[in-house]
Amino acid sequence: MARRPRILVINPNSNEAVTEGLRQAVKPLTYADGPEIVCETLTEGPFGVETQEHVESVTLPLRRKVEATNDADAFIIACYSDPGLFVAREGTSRPVFGIAECGVLTALARADRFGVIAIKSRSIPRHIRYLRQMGLMERLAGERPLEMSVAETASGEGTLARMITVGRELKELDGAGAIVMGCAGMARHRKPLEDALGIPVIDPTQAAVTMAIGTLAVG
């Protein structure tokens, strides 16, 4: 029997609650003959990737993780800053997907202009630099913060209510036609947030895994 392709989703922070949220988020993307989707935690990472220092600190560990993993056919870096994405791609011939890149590209397929929900204000300049690098600033309606930590978005009380408030501001004040959740820790809130807002809400990890499945399917 042929081996099923394997997609490895790597959570670059050391918070197991975030990793478990990722497992739940990708469950709808599994099917009998499809790729095996495995979510793992980068144990040496910070508890939450929330600053540029955190981003830089996981870059080389992610590269080493990708290089040392021989049983995966595709990799997902499950952090909205896409830390280590380009150096990880240099370390393997297999596809490596960053959830920010995939989340934004998926949003562009659903609406003319998109908004992003960030965890904190200090995350926004980092995200804007990345969007500028991608040449997509004209499609950005706006980005607004929750002012919460990664851990709080993953398991804190009141997270969904705050996301709905910020999402409505992005939709009604900024003109966003789709929302990208700007942190992997927000994964469990996608469906109720979409129901509340009435516009597409993109979970970037689901977007990245979907692209990986399609890439593996066509060889």
Side-chain angles (χ1 to χ4, degrees):
M1 182 180 295
R3 181 182 73 86
R4 290 173 65 195
R6 190 170 190 256
I7 298 171
L8 177 59
V9 180
I10 308 171
N11 170 22
N13 72 53
S14 56
N15 188 338
E16 286 289 346
V18 173
T19 307
E20 181 57 32
L22 296 175
R23 293 190 184 101
Q24 297 305 314
V26 301
K27 270 187 177 180
L29 302 175
T30 60
Y31 55 100
D33 297 324
E36 179 187 12
I37 306 170
V38 178
C39 299
E40 294 186 0
T41 304
L42 190 71
T43 55
E44 61 262 58
F47 197 64
V49 178
E50 298 176 358
T51 67
Q52 191 64 43
E53 180 182 6
H54 292 156
V55 171
E56 304 297 344
S57 73
V58 299
T59 295
L60 292 181
L62 283 167
R63 163 69 179 254
R64 291 191 289 267
K65 175 75 172 176
V66 167
E67 285 184 309
T69 303
N70 297 314
D71 61 347
D73 299 281
F75 299 92
I76 310 292
I77 297 177
C79 170
Y80 196 74
S81 293
D82 284 355
L85 177 61
F86 303 111
V87 72
R89 284 172 173 169
E90 286 184 350
T92 181
S93 60
R94 292 159 287 178
V96 182
F97 298 88
I99 67 168
E101 187 174 61
C102 294
V104 169
L105 293 176
T106 300
L108 294 178
R110 302 294 304 278
D112 182 58
R113 300 175 74 224
F114 67 95
V116 179
I117 299 178
I119 53 170
K120 294 184 177 182
S121 295
R122 65 184 180 183
S123 303
I124 295 177
R126 184 169 65 251
H127 297 165
I128 294 298
R129 287 196 299 270
Y130 196 18
L131 288 174
R132 189 179 297 120
Q133 178 183 327
M134 295 173 69
L136 295 175
M137 287 299 296
E138 290 186 1
R139 302 286 296 275
L140 176 68
E143 179 162 357
R144 293 176 180 260
L146 300 176
E147 303 299 5
M148 304 175 77
S149 67
V150 173
E152 287 171 330
T153 64
S155 55
E157 294 297 324
T159 301
L160 177 59
R162 176 65 181 147
M163 291 181 70
I164 290 172
T165 297
V166 173
R168 282 178 176 153
E169 291 172 352
L170 287 165
K171 175 185 175 180
E172 296 170 7
L173 301 180
D174 300 329
I179 301 292
V180 182
M181 301 191 302
C183 177
M186 300 176 187
R188 68 190 180 103
H189 303 298
R190 191 207 68 79
K191 184 63 167 61
L193 180 60
E194 184 172 272
D195 289 344
L197 297 181
I199 59 175
V201 173
I202 310 301
D203 172 57
T205 303
Q206 291 179 337
V209 171
T210 298
M211 289 191 186
I213 291 171
T215 298
L216 295 177
V218 299

